[in-house]
């Protein structure tokens, strides 16, 4: 199985400051169709996960533009340009290129 | 508006069975792959099974192969997960999710399955 490794696992951030989460895969996530199926989810406390970013860098409808995704191959990043209080939660990356799909361990974002 | 509503969770003894259901609305259910993803208490996410839009292909994570069966009824806009030979480590919130490996764009609120004697 493809192992997804996130860092850091805990991320205390000051309101208004940027935040960055890394996600590395044990194999390339480039699919034979040329696409890279790397997704980012946000899970706020007590809620179901919500998709933020798909295929590395495509932001979902309704997701604030302070969220951005980047990367290629085995190395990916989720950035929040200016953290707001509503961004508190756990962020997961997930690869869908290889079965079984696998998730990172999660990164807990909290306000300092 | 896309809605996914799970039901069927509860407390079951080790070795027992449970059937989860997911009622879908707000989209053309028969056009989408669907998934079940679970989350053990205080833990991360694990995709348990995926099923193709017409039910002709199904994929399972190794830990549930031979014990769980994913199915769907497109006429009823419903997704199911039959869980047999349940173990303590199957205890989790089970989410119904629209899409297979590439999508996962909408999630239900989840239903809790507790396996304990």
């Amino acid at each position: 199985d493809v192992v997804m490794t996130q860092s850091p696992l805990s991320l205390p951030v000051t309101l208004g400051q940027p935040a960055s989460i890394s996600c590395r895969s044990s194999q390339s996530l480039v699919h034979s169709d040329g696409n890279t199926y790397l997704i980012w989810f946000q899970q706020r406390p007590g809620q179901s996960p919500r998709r933020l970013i798909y295929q590395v860098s495509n932001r979902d409808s309704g997701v604030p533009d302070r969220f951005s995704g980047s990367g290629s191959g085995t190395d990916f990043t989720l950035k929040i340009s200016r953290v707001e209080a509503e961004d508190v939660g756990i962020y997961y990356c997930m690869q869908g290129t290889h079965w079984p799909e696998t998730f990172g361990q999660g990164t807990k974002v909290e306000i300092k | 508006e896309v809605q996914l509503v799970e039901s069927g969770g509860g407390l079951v003894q080790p070795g027992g069975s449970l059937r989860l259901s997911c009622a879908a609305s707000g989209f053309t259910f028969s056009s989408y792959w669907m998934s079940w993803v679970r989350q053990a208490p205080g833990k991360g996410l694990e995709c348990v099974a995926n099923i193709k839009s017409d039910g002709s292909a199904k994929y399972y994570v190794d830990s549930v192969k031979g014990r769980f069966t994913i199915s769907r009824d497109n006429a009823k806009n419903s997704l199911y997960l039959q869980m047999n030979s349940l173990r303590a480590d199957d205890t989790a919130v089970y989410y119904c999710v629209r899409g297979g490996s590439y999508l996962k764009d909408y999630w239900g609120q989840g239903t809790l399955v507790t396996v304990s004697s």
Side-chain angles (χ1 to χ4, degrees), chain A residues 23-42:
Chain A
C23 176
R24 290 191 167 93
S25 59
S26 60
Q27 299 177 33
S28 172
L29 299 187
V30 179
H31 194 275
S32 56
D33 65 9
N35 294 315
T36 299
Y37 296 107
L38 188 284
I39 299 175
W40 288 97
F41 297 96
Q42 174 196 60

Side-chain angles (χ1 to χ4, degrees), chain A residues 49-65:
Chain A
R50 167 199 184 195
R51 195 181 76 172
L52 297 177
I53 304 280
Y54 62 97
Q55 289 187 40
V56 181
S57 59
N58 296 284
R59 200 168 41 245
D60 270 279
S61 174
V63 174
D65 60 8

Side-chain angles (χ1 to χ4, degrees), chain A residues 83-98:
Chain A
V83 172
E84 298 190 6
E86 65 178 18
D87 300 336
V88 165
I90 302 177
Y91 292 77
Y92 296 93
C93 61
M94 187 209 90
Q95 68 82 20
T97 297
H98 307 280

Side-chain angles (χ1 to χ4, degrees), chain A residues 31 43 48 51 96 99 101, chain B residues 39 47 50 101-104 108:
Chain A
H31 194 275
Q43 188 173 32
S48 302
R51 195 181 76 172
W99 181 259
E101 314 156 3
Chain B
Q39 186 170 36
C47 185
N50 287 350
S101 301
Y102 307 161
L103 198 64
K104 290 201 164 36

